[in-house]
Amino acid sequence: MKKWIVWLKKNSPWIFLLIGPVLNFYLLEWYTHNPFQTMKPYIQGMNLALFEFAALFLFALTGRISRALGIETAFCAIYGLANYFVLEFRGAPIQPWDVLSISTAASVADNYEYKLNRTAVIVLICFVLLLVLEFFQKKGFPKKNKKARIARVCLALSCGLLCFGYTKMLHSEDIVEQKLHLYNKLFTPTTIQFKNGTVTAFLMELQYISVDKPSGYSAENAKELLASYDTGSQEAAGTSSDNAQKPNIIVIMNEAFSDPSVLGDFTTNEDYMPFVHSLLDGADNTISGHLNVSVKGGNTANTEFEYLTGASMAFLPYGSIPYQQYVKKETPSMASYLSSLGYYTIAMHPYRAAGWDRNLVYPRLGFDEMHFQEFFTDSPLVRKYVSDEGNYEKIIKLYEEKDEDTPLFLFNVTMQNHSSYSDWADYDNFSPDIAVEGSDSKLLPAYLSLIRLSDSAIQNLISYFEAQEEPTIIVFFGDHQPADSVVRPVWKLNGKDDTDLTDEEEALRYKVPFFIWANFNIETEKDLEISANYLAAKTLDAAGLPKSAYDNFLSQLRTEVPVISANHVTLSDGTFTTASKQKDLLYDYQTLQYYLLFD
């Protein structure tokens, strides 16, 4: 027995070098799920090999077991904790392109409530204990030894190549699908992580940080295809000096505005959006329905990207942020097109200018003027955000100050309803007044109470424009539904669990209300099911304006594919599918989108 103790004491650093990476892998996964339940044994083995290679690589670089294991363990502890919170707040794990969003994430980090469940607390404690034990594993390569230096270089090169080869293997579709049988559906990133491992999933997604050309793509062919949809009416409208018939267009993308009743029935003490519901029921001079977006719980900028450009996130890496990754030069948009028709274009957002790089992106999309947080210093707040009521007062101000002979296009992203919905008690300017029967949730009533304020504010704005002589259209839609934690009670009240939904049920999480209202006669439509990429073309139709060649294409495509988003596609016959399963049908769309965004 004594010999075993002596042997263990002597060799414990090498034992730790072997078992440390194993513990790091399982603890990292356990932050968010039980890997033994979600991952097949051979996939666990793949991940363990990667963690061993990484630890040996760090050992070669640092020369000490304690340093190598300490670095790997600290990384897993911190990354896993960050991933835990991102998954909780956004409903999707950290992905490679999130690195580009660090500044935006930091700017809104204090908007959330950070709470760890029991499992996460235990995992964090285990990581701390592991770090303490690793601190005492002092063995390593001898110092000032030529053979040791050579050995370290050889070990670093071999382990580095193994890690590189592991990553390249994950970027081969044939190997991933046919040999490894890994889960690779990008539109369900949480499932990818749970089934394949956090680090393996991240490495798999690295290949999508840039966008590949569609198969057989030709810029010349794309140009000819686009030209075939050009009716020539744009030039005629653009040269016309008669702006009197061009209505003002005010577009409001309301932060987190949604109607959770699409997920299931629940009862409240009063209607939380009576005015919007009245418009959705078929009000005069109103087009309304449900807008299918590509994000939930966050990534607001992707919905405005789809609206303004007519592009679809279905053809871009899931979770990517085009504003930060792809809009690096002048890019055709609703703003630039309306500018060509004689409109003055304004973008407005009552929060920080650098959020999602809007201050850089808006000029590239063709906006003439921008207003951010500083423009709203005298506006009333709800909690700590500019209220919708105060926001809309600024819209009225800009409208009243505009040139009477120049039609206005104003694109406004609101901020009032941004999470968190648990901190309202810290403020004296808001108190929830909506109650949900049969639920003890604190988040859902607070959220619905904010929606009630938004409903009242948009009613007041429309009342103002009803009295104006200038023809004006108001387009209103939500950017996404709130995080899973907010709407989970709705599933629960309907006997469902949000971790066990069908694809069709999950798709309901991507529906938000929309309407197009006019203070002049337009044809009333209701119960429309469309997606964000089509809404700008629909806006031009409602305004009686000519459409660009691209918008003509989108209008025609919508008759065949009324909904296309990163989450799902709905065909005209009601078929529920995905973009990856409709490559032939959507090939022209993907081609034109690549041409307009990148070529």
Side-chain angles (χ1 to χ4, degrees), residues 327-332 363-365 596-597:
V327 184
K328 298 298 183 183
K329 57 182 177 58
E330 288 187 8
T331 301
R364 295 167 185 164
L365 295 179
L596 292 172
L597 286 181

Side-chain angles (χ1 to χ4, degrees), residues 27-150:
L27 287 173
L28 173 61
E29 300 301 321
W30 225 295
Y31 264 123
T32 55
H33 66 286
N34 181 346
F36 293 105
Q37 292 179 350
T38 63
M39 298 174 65
K40 295 177 180 178
Y42 77 90
I43 296 179
Q44 294 179 43
M46 285 173 50
N47 281 272
L48 290 173
L50 177 64
F51 275 64
E52 295 287 356
F53 296 154
L56 289 172
F57 177 76
L58 291 170
F59 177 45
L61 288 183
T62 63
R64 288 289 179 270
I65 291 176
S66 58
R67 295 172 188 171
L69 293 178
I71 291 171
E72 184 176 81
T73 301
F75 172 81
C76 290
I78 295 169
Y79 182 88
L81 188 62
N83 190 60
Y84 170 88
F85 286 121
V86 170
L87 188 59
E88 180 69 18
F89 298 148
R90 191 177 69 185
I94 293 174
Q95 293 161 300
W97 31 88
D98 287 329
V99 175
L100 301 172
S101 307
I102 287 176
S103 60
T104 298
S107 72
V108 297
D110 59 348
N111 298 336
Y112 298 97
E113 184 178 15
Y114 298 88
K115 288 184 177 180
L116 293 172
N117 62 25
R118 182 172 177 272
T119 300
V121 170
I122 293 172
V123 168
L124 190 57
I125 292 172
C126 289
F127 267 125
V128 172
L129 291 175
L130 185 58
L131 277 169
V132 172
L133 291 173
E134 289 169 346
F135 176 77
F136 295 102
Q137 312 309 315
K138 297 296 186 180
K139 284 194 176 180
F141 287 97
K143 295 180 179 179
K144 298 180 181 180
N145 184 303
K146 186 176 180 181
K147 289 183 178 180
R149 286 197 296 270
I150 294 173

Side-chain angles (χ1 to χ4, degrees), residues 116-403:
L116 293 172
N117 62 25
R118 182 172 177 272
T119 300
V121 170
I122 293 172
V123 168
L124 190 57
I125 292 172
C126 289
F127 267 125
V128 172
L129 291 175
L130 185 58
L131 277 169
V132 172
L133 291 173
E134 289 169 346
F135 176 77
F136 295 102
Q137 312 309 315
K138 297 296 186 180
K139 284 194 176 180
F141 287 97
K143 295 180 179 179
K144 298 180 181 180
N145 184 303
K146 186 176 180 181
K147 289 183 178 180
R149 286 197 296 270
I150 294 173
R152 288 175 64 180
V153 170
C154 291
L155 183 61
L157 286 174
S158 59
C159 290
L161 287 172
L162 285 169
C163 291
F164 178 77
Y166 186 95
T167 303
K168 292 298 291 182
M169 175 183 69
L170 296 176
H171 294 177
S172 169
E173 189 172 334
D174 288 339
I175 294 176
V176 166
E177 290 186 0
Q178 305 301 325
K179 296 181 180 179
L180 299 178
H181 303 289
L182 296 176
Y183 185 88
N184 64 344
K185 294 180 174 61
L186 279 176
F187 61 87
T188 52
T190 304
T191 306
I192 291 180
Q193 181 193 105
F194 287 7
K195 287 181 177 291
N196 299 340
T198 301
V199 175
T200 293
F202 187 94
L203 295 176
M204 286 176 68
E205 292 158 347
L206 274 175
Q207 64 183 308
Y208 302 111
I209 205 161
S210 62
V211 180
D212 294 330
K213 293 180 181 180
S215 177
Y217 172 82
S218 161
E220 191 60 35
N221 290 342
K223 188 176 181 179
E224 290 177 5
L225 174 62
L226 188 62
S228 69
Y229 288 91
D230 189 355
T231 62
S233 55
Q234 177 186 350
E235 288 78 4
T239 57
S240 171
S241 60
D242 181 13
N243 284 325
Q245 301 306 312
K246 297 174 183 175
N248 301 304
I249 300 175
I250 297 171
V251 180
I252 298 167
M253 190 177 79
N254 195 276
E255 170 62 37
F257 190 94
S258 72
D259 187 351
S261 68
V262 300
L263 306 178
D265 296 330
F266 63 96
T267 303
T268 55
N269 59 323
E270 63 175 286
D271 193 342
Y272 46 87
M273 54 171 71
F275 180 69
V276 171
H277 279 154
S278 72
L279 295 183
L280 297 177
D281 285 340
D284 292 340
N285 304 317
T286 304
I287 299 167
S288 64
H290 284 110
L291 190 71
N292 291 264
V293 298
S294 292
V295 293
K296 66 173 181 177
N299 286 359
T300 291
N302 287 2
T303 301
E304 62 179 288
F305 166 78
E306 288 188 312
Y307 176 84
L308 287 171
T309 66
S312 175
M313 292 301 301
F315 305 125
L316 299 173
Y318 188 95
S320 58
I321 309 295
Y323 272 16
Q324 296 177 312
Q325 291 172 249
Y326 312 130
V327 184
K328 298 298 183 183
K329 57 182 177 58
E330 288 187 8
T331 301
S333 77
M334 181 74 160
S336 61
Y337 177 68
L338 287 175
S339 182
S340 74
L341 299 186
Y343 278 75
Y344 187 74
T345 60
I346 300 175
M348 192 169 80
H349 177 50
Y351 208 58
R352 296 164 186 165
W356 302 121
D357 290 349
R358 286 187 179 98
N359 56 332
L360 302 176
V361 169
Y362 283 154
R364 295 167 185 164
L365 295 179
F367 282 101
D368 300 313
E369 186 177 318
M370 299 180 292
H371 296 288
F372 295 104
Q373 195 170 31
E374 296 76 14
F375 186 61
F376 298 86
T377 52
D378 58 344
S379 296
L381 305 179
V382 170
R383 300 174 297 155
K384 62 180 178 180
Y385 302 118
V386 172
S387 68
D388 283 1
E389 195 69 49
N391 189 330
Y392 300 159
E393 287 173 1
K394 294 296 186 181
I395 291 180
I396 292 172
K397 178 179 185 293
L398 291 170
Y399 165 76
E400 292 179 343
E401 292 176 351
K402 81 176 189 70
D403 184 344

